[in-house]
Amino acid sequence: MQLVEDLRKDPILSNFICEECQENGIAIEVGKNVDRKKLIILRVDEYYKSLHLKYTPPSPDCLVVQHCTDNQYVVYVIELKNIGDMQNEKPSEIRKQFETCLLDFMSDRFRSYFYNQEYDFTNSLNLIFISMPRQLKNITKDRTTRIDSLLALAPIPFANRRYLIKHRVPNPVIQPC
């Protein structure tokens, strides 16, 4: 549980801890059987906004770190979109949000936590895009959707592994490990 505690105590990240990951009625829920003391939710997008950069990079809404056993963790990088239609959403732009989190936030700015050999989560790193696009309701087997295009993008590298973005409809639930 050390990683969760270290993130809570970080003088910068402690400003971006929240109780839930939600935006515009779309959320990821935390199951009732999950020990909230073993879980931390960080608002990655708020962190980047607080930097007041000339160009704020696109970033996902939340980073969730859940302690399982010993030094084993599950990490969720979450982007929430309350959209009825993916027509205006470019898969490459959504991908950039996840890249910012993995390649800048976790690999550079807060590398000491996410590249620490004591914490094992590389087998349990999940990139999740949550939306309920109208397209899902009327999909024909012959037609490619923007969700298909998003899911077909090349995996994003992190710590010598590659991770695919997964799509979920609202409101998936984080379960105990």
Side-chain angles (χ1 to χ4, degrees):
M1 197 159 113
Q2 191 61 46
L3 175 57
V4 171
E5 289 305 313
D6 288 349
L7 293 170
R8 271 196 178 91
K9 293 176 186 173
D10 184 274
I12 296 169
L13 293 177
S14 62
N15 296 310
F16 303 100
I17 296 171
C18 60
E19 288 298 312
E20 55 188 22
C21 182
Q22 128 173 356
E23 189 168 281
N24 300 319
I26 303 290
I28 188 162
E29 306 284 333
V30 177
K32 292 179 178 150
N33 296 336
V34 173
D35 184 350
R36 294 295 290 219
K37 293 179 200 148
K38 294 183 175 184
L39 181 120
I40 187 169
I41 302 172
L42 299 170
R43 290 299 302 213
V44 178
D45 59 345
E46 294 300 322
Y47 164 77
Y48 280 101
K49 288 176 191 172
S50 76
L51 299 177
H52 304 290
L53 301 170
K54 187 174 183 179
Y55 168 74
T56 302
S59 57
D61 295 299
C62 302
L63 177 70
V64 179
V65 178
Q66 179 183 17
H67 176 252
C68 296
T69 60
D70 300 323
N71 288 327
Q72 302 255 323
Y73 297 85
V74 177
V75 175
Y76 303 90
V77 179
I78 301 165
E79 174 59 21
L80 307 164
K81 288 281 186 201
N82 187 359
I83 51 176
D85 189 348
M86 288 277 296
Q87 290 301 86
N88 298 324
E89 298 295 325
K90 294 181 181 173
S92 60
E93 292 301 313
I94 294 168
R95 178 191 166 92
K96 285 179 187 176
Q97 294 175 303
F98 290 99
E99 287 175 332
T100 297
C101 189
L102 294 178
L103 306 177
D104 184 61
F105 188 84
M106 294 170 68
S107 294
D108 187 19
R109 296 174 189 264
F110 299 99
R111 182 180 187 90
S112 62
Y113 300 119
F114 298 105
Y115 276 78
N116 186 326
Q117 297 295 322
E118 292 179 32
Y119 311 136
D120 180 17
F121 61 83
T122 54
N123 292 325
S124 300
L125 177 59
N126 303 282
L127 311 181
I128 302 175
F129 176 70
I130 301 172
S131 72
M132 178 54 103
R134 217 172 321 153
Q135 287 177 290
L136 287 179
K137 296 176 185 170
N138 302 317
I139 292 177
T140 65
K141 292 184 180 183
D142 306 342
R143 205 170 127 216
T144 302
T145 66
R146 292 222 181 215
I147 291 290
D148 294 329
S149 298
L150 174 66
L151 301 178
L153 292 174
I156 301 169
F158 174 76
N160 296 322
R161 297 195 74 170
R162 300 174 100 38
Y163 298 92
L164 290 169
I165 298 170
K166 300 170 190 167
H167 179 258
R168 299 287 182 267
V169 294
N171 295 320
V173 178
I174 294 175
Q175 298 292 346
C177 303

